[in-house]
Amino acid sequence: MSPVSVIYALLFYFAAAVLLFGLAVKIRQYARTPAPLKIPTTPAPVTQTGVVLRMAREVVLFASLFKSNKWIWLFGWIFHFALLLVLLRHLRYFTEPVWTWVVWIQPFGKYAAYAMLFGLAGLWARRILVERVRYITAPSDHLMLALLVAIGASGVAMKYVWHTDIVALKAFFLGLMYFDWQPLPADPMLLIHLGLVVALMIIFPFSKLLHAPGVFFSPTRNQVDNPREKRHLAPWAARLESGESR
Ligand code: HEM
């Protein structure tokens, strides 16, 4: 094992720990944050099943973004859908044997990679060209976009220009998962791609990218419109009402 392989192995263990532990802490915090008011954005579903369907529409189609801004919706949706396809395609590096449906989606990867970069370019252009968006854009917004573009571009570069040994790469990752370390190919573009992925994994739980799990905890989207049928009472308000002091 070369020093580079050992360093990357340790980096991936560290990044996976930060990502999983960080996400668990944030999700726990979101789940425990009180929602004292009944504030579903109306018209809202009046049943729990309706809320599930509404949330599915949000997550799959970005429904409320569509209502608010067609350009952001277009670029945002293209980016996210393409990212999903790219990530699902990557499952072949972590599974043996590779699942059949993962084999089936491989041919779409080429288009997904370009679509992902196209979507990111549109979202980035908006932050630079639209004055009122530029005004509220922080350096971290640029950083997230730059990181995702760099990961995508290095991936595309590997796919078309500087190829790597995918079989050895897969052995490395399976080795990490089964605690049987194997060497990592030392191709510069692969090391760049993976180094950026490690950075993304570490930044994720501290960044705005938390909107991904966060959307499920949005009270305006996850509440049932039933205040007439059922009185909404936050736990702390119920305690106050019953005369119990804090
Ligand atoms: C440990 C995680 C990852 C590994 C081992 C990995 C590895 C690779 C490899 C070997 C390729 C070249 C494929 C080929 O030559 O056919 C590639 C391509 C690519 N990667 Fe990654 N990657 C990882 C994570 C990511 C992430 C998180 C993203 C996006 C945020 C990403 C985006 C891409 C893109 C857009 C391509 C080009 C299109 C494709 O082949 O799917 N990768 N990656």
Side-chain angles (χ1 to χ4, degrees), residues 70-135:
K70 301 288 184 278
W71 280 111
I72 310 179
W73 177 83
L74 184 72
F75 289 123
W77 193 83
I78 289 179
F79 159 64
H80 283 88
F81 187 69
L83 174 67
L84 176 68
L85 232 126
V86 165
L87 293 180
L88 292 178
R89 240 172 68 86
H90 276 63
L91 282 177
R92 71 185 164 137
Y93 306 131
F94 307 97
T95 50
E96 183 55 43
V98 178
W99 304 322
T100 315
W101 64 269
V102 176
V103 176
W104 285 344
I105 59 170
Q106 293 303 316
F108 303 107
K110 198 163 39 178
Y111 311 104
Y114 291 136
M116 179 181 145
L117 290 173
F118 171 78
L120 284 170
L123 294 172
W124 210 346
R126 159 184 169 264
R127 291 212 171 264
I128 296 164
L129 300 176
V130 183
E131 208 206 322
R132 61 198 297 274
V133 180
R134 187 169 64 230
Y135 185 72

Side-chain angles (χ1 to χ4, degrees), residues 4 54 71 99 115 139-140 151 169 188 207 218 233:
V4 173
R54 176 190 214 176
W71 280 111
W99 304 322
S140 80
I151 294 177
L169 169 83
S207 75
S218 170
L233 206 54

Side-chain angles (χ1 to χ4, degrees), residues 117 150-164 189 193:
L117 290 173
I151 294 177
S154 54
V156 169
M158 241 189 313
K159 193 168 168 61
Y160 296 108
V161 192
W162 295 288
H163 303 287
T164 188
M189 199 45 80
H193 192 65

